[in-house]
Amino acid sequence: MNYDDLADWQKRAADWARDYHAGLRDRPVRPDIAPGEFLAKIEAPIPEAPEAIEAIFDDFTRLVPDAMTHWQHPRFFAYFPANAAPASMLAEQLANAMSAQAMLWQTAPAANEMEDLVIRWLRDGMGLPEDFTGTIHDSATTATFSAVTTMRELALDHTGITKGLSGAPQLRIYASAQTHSSVDKAVRLSGIGQDNLVKVPTIPGHPTWSMDPDALDRLIREDIAAGRKPAGVVLCVGGTSIGACDDIAACIKVAHGHSLTVHVDAAWAGSAMICEEFRHLWAGIEQADSIIFNPHKWLGAQFDCAVQFLRDPGPQIGTMGLRPEYLKTQGADEIVNYNEWTLPLGRRFRALKIWFLLRAEGLSGLRARIRNHVAWANEASDAIAALPGFEITTPPILSLFSFRYQDDAKTAELLERVNRDGRIYLTQTYHDGSFVIRVSVGQFTCTREDVMTIPSVLAELAQDL
Ligand code: PLP
């Protein structure tokens, strides 16, 4: 295959993509498929001789889409949205065509300088102060790992990266039970250790299940009294389970009172902060030291794309950065090389899809979508609450809510029926000791009618339960 062939096949791939998206509404959101069923269809020895692209492409269209869960389906209401706006897909195609390693300014000047611009665009669009800068990671998990490892190094005066952790004081990180498991992973892998992740209780009856700042203060003081060393606090805005939001201002006041760094995980909900009316959910955010949000979730930048804002990138660069001779830019030591801010050396040109997305949709277009999702989630929640036997267990926080049907067993059976049926796709969580079903509205192409399919499918499938 050469680049002429590539151009022809890309045109065919583009036609296939158009038809795929046009036909999504007619497909079940999740395939009716057993584990191993797909592999049995493609199992073969490693090819020795080249094959015609025609045959490979054919196998793809015949076998793969039917064995996929369709994340771009307008009735995908599971987990979280993973929007890929057409403009961002186009940008990815162009970035792929150049396939640059954007690890240094010198290896991809446009990627490097565009990253600087789109970070400032997003910072301004989300109402963050001008003293924030930032970078783009692959995932929120990597960014949170970078932030937690930086907390470790700040607490150890940057001796962890040189001398290791043996003999170091017992470090402590604080987060609420509503934070995502990526925080647990970061604490484990940074060498701080899971047992040193202190899960701070939430305030009883708090409308967004905030961490209790008084409990945070008490736990920090107890650790200090016991000879342990507090290292940092991770807060959440829009937890994955039910959308919990910590009281950012109050918790940061406590953390900073103890000179602790604060990282805020707004992976999903961060996108909504382009709308001024939702910013009360992270009031006080301007005091945070680090914030992560995933434009690849609700904003529309094709996966993968995780933006970390940093008030002062110095400590993170001091932790993650290395500059051996072969990675220096001759005569320009002061230049920003974003690999020094993040874990991997190699970096994709991710800024391009944000640049395309923001220009093609405009903040106004993106805001209109998010506002619709929030309004329709509220409407669907009200309609479910009115169905006999149904109870809203957590009301909408932005566009995420949860419900149950009679008891745990019936709720689980209903979820099974819904997902076997295929018209909509929902997933579960545990809340207050009960098995509940989550509804997460946010697909780029969903309409009000798509969202209102949820109560009608539920009413139909619960009938003879
Ligand atoms: N934090 C929150 C609140 C999330 O919802 C998720 C993903 O669902 C993550 C972190 C992890 O995101 P990523 O897949 O980018 O690592």
Side-chain angles (χ1 to χ4, degrees):
M1 191 175 188
N2 58 32
Y3 288 112
D4 288 334
D5 298 330
L6 176 63
D8 290 341
W9 282 100
Q10 275 180 329
K11 283 175 201 126
R12 285 183 64 168
D15 288 344
W16 177 87
R18 182 200 50 222
D19 296 346
Y20 167 77
H21 285 279
L24 269 181
R25 265 206 179 75
D26 303 324
R27 286 180 180 269
V29 187
R30 208 179 68 162
D32 184 11
I33 187 171
E37 199 177 319
F38 173 72
L39 179 59
K41 290 183 185 164
I42 60 160
E43 185 68 64
I46 182 170
E48 182 63 39
E51 275 186 78
I53 288 292
E54 184 92 53
I56 307 168
F57 195 93
D58 220 58
D59 282 350
F60 165 80
T61 55
R62 203 165 44 80
L63 299 173
V64 175
D66 288 345
M68 289 296 285
T69 298
H70 302 289
W71 280 75
Q72 304 309 316
H73 196 298
R75 293 190 304 276
F76 182 104
F77 304 116
Y79 304 102
F80 46 83
N83 288 316
S88 78
M89 286 183 170
L90 180 61
E92 281 287 70
Q93 216 176 326
L94 298 171
N96 289 345
M98 292 182 285
S99 287
Q101 270 285 352
M103 56 194 186
L104 307 170
W105 175 85
Q106 187 163 264
T107 63
N112 180 289
E113 293 180 15
M114 193 179 283
E115 185 155 336
D116 172 71
L117 175 70
V118 298
I119 291 285
R120 283 187 283 113
W121 276 3
L122 288 170
R123 175 197 69 195
D124 297 346
M126 295 165 77
L128 292 169
E130 286 190 359
D131 55 351
F132 276 101
T133 174
T135 190
I136 310 176
H137 297 256
D138 55 352
S139 68
T141 301
T142 319
T144 295
F145 173 77
S146 308
V148 168
T149 309
T150 301
M151 289 172 181
R152 182 194 78 191
E153 287 309 301
L154 282 171
L156 298 180
D157 231 359
H158 280 89
T159 56
I161 53 171
T162 49
K163 299 187 189 331
L165 302 182
S166 149
Q170 185 182 359
L171 302 181
R172 307 285 268 180
I173 300 287
Y174 307 83
S176 96
Q178 291 291 336
T179 45
H180 188 263
S181 58
S182 53
V183 179
D184 299 64
K185 195 180 253 190
V187 173
R188 286 174 177 217
L189 299 186
S190 62
I192 295 171
Q194 179 83 56
D195 292 351
N196 290 311
L197 175 58
V198 183
K199 292 280 169 91
V200 181
T202 53
I203 303 171
H206 190 274
T208 63
W209 292 271
S210 168
M211 171 194 289
D212 182 346
D214 293 337
L216 174 65
D217 189 46
R218 180 174 43 78
L219 289 163
I220 293 171
R221 286 176 195 282
E222 282 173 10
D223 277 339
I224 295 169
R228 296 181 281 256
K229 193 164 176 46
V233 178
V234 182
L235 301 176
C236 78
V237 175
T240 312
S241 182
I242 54 158
C245 296
D246 289 324
D247 180 337
I248 299 296
C251 295
I252 291 187
K253 191 164 173 226
V254 171
H256 283 180
H258 291 281
S259 304
L260 296 180
T261 302
V262 175
H263 171 68
V264 178
D265 177 1
W268 159 67
S271 296
M273 301 309 159
I274 61 170
C275 305
E276 226 172 314
E277 70 270 31
F278 301 134
R279 291 187 193 151
H280 64 93
L281 288 171
W282 73 359
I285 194 70
E286 62 284 351
Q287 295 301 323
D289 300 289
S290 163
I291 306 163
I292 177 66
F293 100 101
N294 281 351
H296 72 222
K297 283 194 162 77
W298 203 358
L299 201 67
Q302 180 161 22
F303 187 81
D304 51 9
C305 189
V307 164
Q308 183 187 18
F309 295 109
L310 287 159
R311 216 139 50 90
D312 172 10
Q316 189 157 310
I317 296 170
T319 303
M320 312 299 285
L322 271 179
R323 196 179 286 188
E325 188 56 38
Y326 49 82
L327 294 179
K328 285 183 181 158
T329 302
Q330 293 302 319
D333 275 354
E334 77 295 343
I335 218 154
V336 169
N337 291 314
Y338 285 113
N339 82 78
E340 294 168 10
W341 301 40
T342 63
L343 187 62
L345 171 62
R347 317 182 80 239
R348 302 179 59 235
F349 186 175
R350 295 191 181 89
L352 193 65
K353 56 192 163 191
I354 302 180
W355 195 61
F356 266 62
L357 173 75
L358 292 176
R359 292 183 62 186
E361 297 287 334
L363 276 177
S364 58
L366 297 172
R367 284 194 197 108
R369 275 202 173 77
I370 286 173
R371 285 175 176 144
N372 279 338
H373 296 156
V374 173
W376 298 336
N378 276 278
E379 228 184 299
S381 165
D382 289 346
I384 293 169
L387 297 174
F390 284 81
E391 174 199 350
I392 298 300
T393 42
T394 59
I397 293 182
L398 297 169
S399 62
L400 171 63
F401 66 95
S402 71
F403 69 89
R404 70 198 296 255
Y405 178 65
Q406 295 191 14
D407 57 29
D408 279 10
K410 290 233 168 79
T411 307
E413 170 58 18
L414 178 62
L415 180 65
E416 185 60 30
R417 283 188 185 196
V418 164
N419 290 337
R420 240 184 292 122
D421 173 84
R423 277 174 288 174
I424 59 175
Y425 182 22
L426 301 174
T427 49
Q428 75 290 339
T429 190
Y430 259 99
H431 179 68
D432 266 354
S434 295
F435 182 90
V436 302
I437 300 177
R438 302 166 67 256
V439 177
S440 164
V441 177
Q443 277 313 112
F444 224 67
T445 53
C446 80
T447 61
R448 181 184 166 278
E449 286 65 38
D450 289 317
V451 177
M452 295 313 284
T453 311
I454 305 170
S456 60
V457 166
L458 291 174
E460 182 189 318
L461 298 179
Q463 250 170 24
D464 60 341
L465 243 183

